[in-house]
Amino acid sequence: MNTHSDSENSLSRMEEMVSKLRALEFRLTPQRMAVLEVLAAGEGHPSVKEVHEIVKRKFPTTSIATIYKTVNLLKRINEILEISIPGGSKRYEGGKPFPHPHVICIRCKKVIDLDLGPLKDITTRIADDTGFEIRSHRLDFFGVCGDCKSREKLTQKQRRQRHDK
Amino acid sequence: MNTHSDSENSLSRMEEMVSKLRALEFRLTPQRMAVLEVLAAGEGHPSVKEVHEIVKRKFPTTSIATIYKTVNLLKRINEILEISIPGGSKRYEGGKPFPHPHVICIRCKKVIDLDLGPLKDITTRIADDTGFEIRSHRLDFFGVCGDCKSREKLTQKQRRQRHDK
DNA sequence: ATGAATGCAAAAATTTTGCAGAGAA
DNA sequence: TTCTCTGCAAAATTTTTGCATTCAT
């Protein structure tokens, strides 16, 4: 683990986000800062609802519309990454706002970052082949995480026992 | 192009889907068959709404709920692939019901299939690294297609002219 | 002071669900 | 005949939008 560089990272992500907003002359309201803090912390991959819950602890009157507006703003200026989860709501990631692969549990919707090399070669080839101007990509793997696998085995065992009776 | 093998492909996809449904003892209603036909044809990547439009031509009273139910059934038994489009509704593909890469236009939401090799090696490594049992993946590239690029250039030119006046 | 952001409520958009009746097996 | 599927309407989700008010700059 590397807690030190993690907090360094969140600090700098916070600074980066704030600079970008300032540079583009967006206003730094308390609610907006609170959203930034949640996403810059880089802990997990929260949904809008989860961000809202956390922000409301500090500013209880914060509306979900404000969270949506802020998250969409941050997405538009490429300061957060949006991850769509089949069968779940969208998740947001401020720690690494560039495309990178994930592993997603189809049971508990847990999201884990992966670190493969960049797909630059493939991207270039695809641009050449299709005439698209490629701007981003997503590479996500879906499966069942260790925890949910154990739970499934338990359930199977229970089911078998029930049948055996 | 290869129209012959295309229609062969849709024929066999249709047969495959029907067999699968029969094997699992689902009923082959006219509405269900119509949905199958649309998706087995493998033309494009229609949304539920688009499938509904087409099915209604033959069976005008078909409800959108039936389309949702059928599409979700086909997804569950792995006979169609679901593609989530950021800023758009989900799309479905019956021609190639296994994970494969796409290029998606972020302007007009056009979807094009790609044919890269399988990601088997990567998948195995990820399973080993994360303890996940990997069941599927998605690899999609986002960009602006040739058509939309031309349109954007036109708009830019118009904008420039307006400013130059 | 000025214009942008907030909060609220209403509206959209998408998908799911319950249930009575129709129809495939 | 039986049990699944359909169609309809209602509900649940998720996200967007309009507008008066507040507030950052």
Side-chain angles (χ1 to χ4, degrees):
Chain A
M1 294 298 115
N2 196 334
T3 310
H4 181 228
S5 91
D6 276 4
S7 39
E8 255 181 26
N9 177 52
S10 17
L11 266 182
S12 56
R13 283 297 301 133
M14 187 69 190
E15 283 161 11
E16 279 170 25
M17 288 184 179
V18 170
S19 310
K20 178 75 91 67
L21 286 175
R22 250 199 260 279
L24 298 172
E25 300 185 83
F26 289 106
R27 296 190 176 171
L28 300 173
T29 63
Q31 296 90 332
R32 200 165 264 178
M33 292 298 279
V35 173
L36 288 195
E37 270 165 31
V38 173
L39 291 168
E43 282 163 31
H45 303 77
S47 64
V48 163
K49 199 189 277 184
E50 285 164 348
V51 174
H52 189 212
E53 297 304 331
I54 298 172
V55 168
K56 273 198 293 189
R57 290 180 204 153
K58 239 190 194 171
F59 304 102
T61 63
T62 308
S63 139
I64 188 102
T66 297
I67 310 294
Y68 271 105
K69 285 167 186 168
T70 304
V71 158
N72 285 336
L73 169 61
L74 292 172
K75 184 174 62 171
R76 210 161 355 115
I77 66 174
N78 292 308
E79 286 298 317
I80 60 177
L81 188 73
E82 182 181 84
I83 307 155
S84 77
I85 311 282
S89 40
K90 285 175 190 147
R91 309 292 203 78
Y92 296 90
E93 177 168 17
K96 297 161 70 179
F98 45 86
H100 63 273
H102 300 97
V103 192
I104 300 169
C105 179
I106 58 178
R107 297 280 176 267
C108 67
K109 316 297 184 206
K110 183 189 301 165
V111 178
I112 294 175
D113 288 347
L114 287 177
D115 202 356
L116 308 178
L119 299 179
K120 202 156 177 316
D121 295 352
I122 296 184
T123 303
T124 309
R125 213 183 83 206
I126 289 167
D128 290 349
D129 289 358
T130 63
F132 271 59
E133 179 185 313
I134 303 297
R135 303 254 176 106
S136 73
H137 67 263
R138 66 179 165 200
L139 173 53
D140 302 315
F141 295 85
F142 300 102
V144 182
C145 71
D147 295 349
C148 290
K149 254 193 289 182
S150 322
R151 255 176 251 131
E152 283 192 359
K153 270 181 201 138
L154 270 179
T155 310
Q156 279 170 19
K157 203 177 280 179
Q158 285 167 3
R159 232 183 270 139
R160 206 174 306 125
Q161 287 179 342
R162 224 179 293 139
H163 284 169
D164 289 349
K165 266 180 212 163
Chain B
M1 291 304 111
N2 196 336
T3 311
H4 181 230
S5 91
D6 275 4
S7 39
E8 255 182 29
N9 177 53
S10 13
L11 267 181
S12 57
R13 282 299 300 135
M14 187 68 191
E15 284 161 12
E16 280 171 24
M17 288 185 179
V18 169
S19 310
K20 179 75 93 61
L21 286 174
R22 250 199 259 280
L24 296 172
E25 298 184 83
F26 289 106
R27 295 189 177 170
L28 300 173
T29 65
Q31 296 89 334
R32 202 166 262 177
M33 292 298 280
V35 173
L36 288 195
E37 270 165 30
V38 174
L39 291 168
E43 282 163 29
H45 303 78
S47 64
V48 163
K49 200 188 279 182
E50 284 164 350
V51 174
H52 188 213
E53 297 304 332
I54 297 171
V55 169
K56 273 198 294 188
R57 288 180 206 155
K58 242 191 194 170
F59 304 102
T61 63
T62 309
S63 140
I64 188 104
T66 297
I67 310 294
Y68 272 105
K69 284 166 186 168
T70 305
V71 158
N72 284 336
L73 168 61
L74 293 172
K75 185 175 61 172
R76 217 169 340 126
I77 66 175
N78 291 308
E79 285 298 317
I80 60 176
L81 188 73
E82 182 182 85
I83 308 155
S84 76
I85 311 281
S89 39
K90 285 173 189 149
R91 309 293 203 77
Y92 296 91
E93 177 169 17
K96 297 160 70 179
F98 45 85
H100 63 271
H102 300 96
V103 193
I104 301 169
C105 179
I106 58 178
R107 297 279 176 266
C108 68
K109 317 296 184 207
K110 182 188 301 162
V111 178
I112 293 174
D113 287 347
L114 287 177
D115 202 358
L116 309 177
L119 299 179
K120 202 155 177 316
D121 296 351
I122 296 184
T123 303
T124 309
R125 212 183 84 205
I126 289 167
D128 291 348
D129 289 357
T130 63
F132 271 59
E133 179 184 312
I134 303 296
R135 304 250 178 109
S136 73
H137 67 263
R138 69 179 164 202
L139 172 54
D140 302 316
F141 296 85
F142 301 101
V144 182
C145 70
D147 295 348
C148 290
K149 253 193 290 183
S150 322
R151 257 176 250 129
E152 283 190 359
K153 271 182 200 137
L154 271 177
T155 311
Q156 279 169 20
K157 203 178 277 179
Q158 285 166 3
R159 230 183 269 138
R160 206 173 307 124
Q161 288 179 342
R162 224 178 295 137
H163 283 169
D164 288 349
K165 268 181 211 161

